[in-house]
Amino acid sequence: MEIVKVVKRYGLCGGMEEYVYRLSHELHERGHSITIISERTVTQPEHQGIKVVRFRESPTKPRWLSHLLFSRKISEWAKRNPCEKRIIHSHERIACHDITTIHSTLFNFPRKGLPGFRKFMNEYLERRELLSPSLKKIVPVSDVIEKQIKSKHPDSTSLVSLPISPGISEIKVKPKSFDPQKPIIGFIGKEWRRKGLPKVIAVWRKLRNHIPMAKLCLAGFSPSEEIGLSSEEKKHVRVLGWTERKSDFFEQIDLLLHPARIEAYGMVIAEAMSLGIPVACSNQCGASKDVSSDYGKTLDYDSTDSEWADCVASV
């Protein structure tokens, strides 16, 4: 059986891309013929038997146009390379796939704002992906996404599988001593507003009323970003910036705080738990269903800063 994995960027460069990279290797080791179709290869496959087909990179913006151009390339490739014993497993907005895995929350859900061409095109591409005649299975990575799909696209409900959480890669870190009077709270995220950094800072300020030496360790975005800290507060905050090795971040923290308003999954939550680092996250994160009392606590995003601070202090 030939399995074609479709992803714009292939390699160890983030959540979805790493998911596809690891899955393609696992499937290859199980004896399947694997072909990757991408526009950019960040990491070469470890197995020579994994074939990579690269297309010229599409413009990144507007995003709907980038998706549309990439989709056309995939459709044209499929027509030029017919094969009866082939499964096309997509992780992008295409229209000729057998399986699609949904890694992110749906576009403009719940619907808000005025209609416009950009919204129309994004809605069209999403609907086309989830209602394609060739589609046999939709795989959400969390129950958050599963619920959104069934609510927004009820005609696709019969194709939706049970959520399958992403696997995580082993991360090796050096042991760190813990001082309860000087806890280091960690946060990592490129899209730091959506992932809850403003709330992290507000909760940290509340926590310092009881634990004055509590510190923050932040990563995933440029240190030059203005995140609303005073000159005095900056003395107790370390911003690592973008880090290639997550171990550099995890080695420095005692607890992960991830109060995202909405998060399709949240790989960092699963990664922290795998290392024995306690977590406090919002129950709007897909990974929150995997958080038990042994690993940490979950709280509603709209809980007060004081409630979040109490949650952090009790983890």
Side-chain angles (χ1 to χ4, degrees):
M1 174 67 70
E2 180 190 14
I3 300 176
V4 177
K5 308 284 288 180
V6 179
V7 64
K8 280 189 174 184
R9 292 194 307 162
Y10 177 71
L12 303 175
C13 56
M16 181 181 81
E17 292 80 5
E18 183 166 343
Y19 173 103
V20 177
Y21 185 86
R22 300 295 185 191
L23 180 56
S24 65
H25 283 72
E26 179 66 27
L27 289 169
H28 181 270
E29 290 173 2
R30 295 189 180 194
H32 297 289
S33 173
I34 304 298
T35 298
I36 307 298
I37 302 184
S38 68
E39 290 186 332
R40 184 180 175 191
T41 302
V42 179
T43 311
Q44 292 296 328
E46 296 175 8
H47 301 313
Q48 292 184 347
I50 297 178
K51 179 183 176 182
V52 178
V53 176
R54 281 189 60 192
F55 291 134
R56 188 183 204 173
E57 288 193 55
S58 304
T60 56
K61 292 185 179 181
R63 292 186 67 183
W64 66 262
L65 180 59
S66 181
H67 289 311
L68 184 61
L69 293 175
F70 183 63
S71 172
R72 287 177 178 174
K73 295 172 189 176
I74 302 300
S75 295
E76 290 169 2
W77 179 89
K79 289 178 182 178
R80 292 194 307 267
N81 298 273
C83 178
E84 292 184 0
K85 295 184 178 180
R86 178 172 66 199
I87 293 174
I88 297 180
H89 182 186
S90 175
H91 304 264
E92 302 287 354
R93 293 277 194 256
I94 70 170
C96 61
H97 47 311
D98 300 290
I99 303 172
T100 187
T101 294
I102 309 299
H103 296 264
S104 59
T105 52
L106 299 189
F107 178 78
N108 195 32
F109 183 86
R111 288 189 172 92
K112 56 188 175 183
L114 297 174
F117 185 71
R118 182 185 71 87
K119 284 185 179 179
F120 172 82
M121 288 304 300
N122 279 293
E123 294 279 11
Y124 161 73
L125 290 168
E126 179 181 281
R127 188 169 59 253
R128 187 186 66 164
E129 175 190 4
L130 296 175
L131 297 172
S132 169
S134 65
L135 186 60
K136 300 175 181 64
K137 191 62 66 176
I138 300 170
V139 183
V141 300
S142 71
D143 57 351
V144 169
I145 302 175
E146 178 191 19
K147 292 173 183 176
Q148 287 191 355
I149 294 171
K150 290 181 177 179
S151 174
K152 188 177 181 182
H153 301 283
D155 290 347
S156 68
T157 296
S158 63
L159 300 178
V160 179
S161 75
L162 292 174
I164 301 177
S165 299
I168 57 173
S169 304
E170 181 183 10
I171 302 174
K172 295 181 179 180
V173 299
K174 299 175 183 176
K176 179 186 178 300
S177 59
F178 171 64
D179 184 343
Q181 297 305 312
K182 299 179 181 179
I184 300 176
I185 299 166
F187 170 89
I188 184 170
K190 182 178 180 181
E191 300 174 67
W192 53 267
R193 288 185 181 87
R194 179 179 65 79
K195 292 178 182 289
L197 180 55
K199 183 174 281 289
V200 168
I201 293 172
V203 171
W204 171 65
R205 286 170 177 157
K206 286 286 185 182
L207 189 65
R208 290 186 72 203
N209 292 332
H210 309 289
I211 311 176
M213 296 302 291
K215 300 181 183 297
L216 283 181
C217 179
L218 311 176
F221 57 91
S222 171
S224 63
E225 292 264 16
E226 180 52 57
I227 57 175
L229 294 170
S230 68
S231 298
E232 173 59 30
E233 288 175 329
K234 289 179 180 178
K235 298 176 183 178
H236 304 279
V237 178
R238 183 172 187 186
V239 181
L240 301 179
W242 175 258
T243 175
E244 293 291 339
R245 299 188 332 132
K246 285 187 179 178
S247 57
D248 294 339
F249 167 71
F250 284 122
E251 285 177 350
Q252 299 188 47
I253 70 171
D254 298 308
L255 177 142
L256 178 77
L257 181 54
H258 198 82
R261 180 178 291 279
I262 187 71
E263 183 80 286
Y265 186 70
M267 288 291 290
V268 67
I269 297 170
E271 289 166 342
M273 291 190 296
S274 75
L275 295 169
I277 297 173
V279 303
C281 70
S282 65
N283 53 22
Q284 284 86 343
C285 296
S288 64
K289 69 179 181 62
D290 298 324
V291 179
S292 68
S293 57
D294 295 330
Y295 294 105
K297 291 186 176 181
T298 66
L299 204 61
D300 189 84
Y301 174 86
D302 291 321
S303 298
T304 66
D305 295 340
S306 294
E307 289 172 328
W308 272 100
D310 290 341
C311 175
V312 170
S314 64
V315 170

